[in-house]
Amino acid sequence: LGVEGVQSVLFIFDKSDVLAGVLVTMPKDPVGIFKTLSTKYKVVSNRIDSFMKYGSARLEKGASVVDIDAPHLSFSMEVRYMTKSFVAAHNRIVQEEAAAKERKKASAL
């Protein structure tokens, strides 16, 4: 990919075999990657602590979303490039699973 230090890359395709997401795990540098990406994408949220070098951020451009996730006390971070339709589908599935879990819990009582 031409990005120094990349530890792993996961490509996610939709049902039509169209690329819907890319998850890149790399050494932790959220401040640097945010600075680079913010010149190309619109900043939606920035919760990166520049002193402690951890946190998260979301950037968007057109139909694309980029999430930066740098956990505290970790040596690596994840940068996720996704389509907005993939994010919406993922969120819908997560909500459906949570609702099913609640229904199962309620029926067990």
Side-chain angles (χ1 to χ4, degrees), residues 22-70:
V22 178
L23 282 63
V24 181
T25 304
M26 60 180 51
K28 193 169 166 182
D29 180 19
V31 176
I33 198 79
F34 177 80
K35 190 175 188 180
T36 300
L37 292 174
S38 65
T39 63
K40 300 176 183 183
Y41 295 84
K42 178 185 170 203
V43 177
V44 176
S45 68
N46 179 9
R47 295 185 198 99
I48 295 174
D49 183 318
S50 57
F51 178 72
M52 296 295 290
K53 296 185 177 20
Y54 75 94
S56 63
R58 174 166 280 200
L59 303 101
E60 293 182 353
K61 182 178 182 180
S64 301
V65 175
V66 179
D67 283 340
I68 300 169
D69 184 24

Side-chain angles (χ1 to χ4, degrees):
L1 294 175
V3 179
E4 190 173 323
V6 170
Q7 298 163 351
S8 68
V9 179
L10 174 66
F11 296 97
I12 301 169
F13 295 88
D14 65 12
K15 292 179 182 180
S16 304
D17 288 334
V18 175
L19 185 63
V22 178
L23 282 63
V24 181
T25 304
M26 60 180 51
K28 193 169 166 182
D29 180 19
V31 176
I33 198 79
F34 177 80
K35 190 175 188 180
T36 300
L37 292 174
S38 65
T39 63
K40 300 176 183 183
Y41 295 84
K42 178 185 170 203
V43 177
V44 176
S45 68
N46 179 9
R47 295 185 198 99
I48 295 174
D49 183 318
S50 57
F51 178 72
M52 296 295 290
K53 296 185 177 20
Y54 75 94
S56 63
R58 174 166 280 200
L59 303 101
E60 293 182 353
K61 182 178 182 180
S64 301
V65 175
V66 179
D67 283 340
I68 300 169
D69 184 24
H72 187 55
L73 300 177
S74 176
F75 294 108
S76 61
M77 67 179 195
E78 195 170 83
V79 179
R80 297 181 289 268
Y81 295 85
M82 304 165 287
T83 63
K84 288 183 179 178
S85 59
F86 175 77
V87 172
H90 177 266
N91 291 341
R92 182 179 42 78
I93 291 169
V94 168
Q95 288 174 349
E96 289 172 359
E97 288 175 351
K101 185 177 180 181
E102 285 297 318
R103 284 192 300 274
K104 183 177 178 181
K105 181 180 174 183
S107 67
L109 297 175

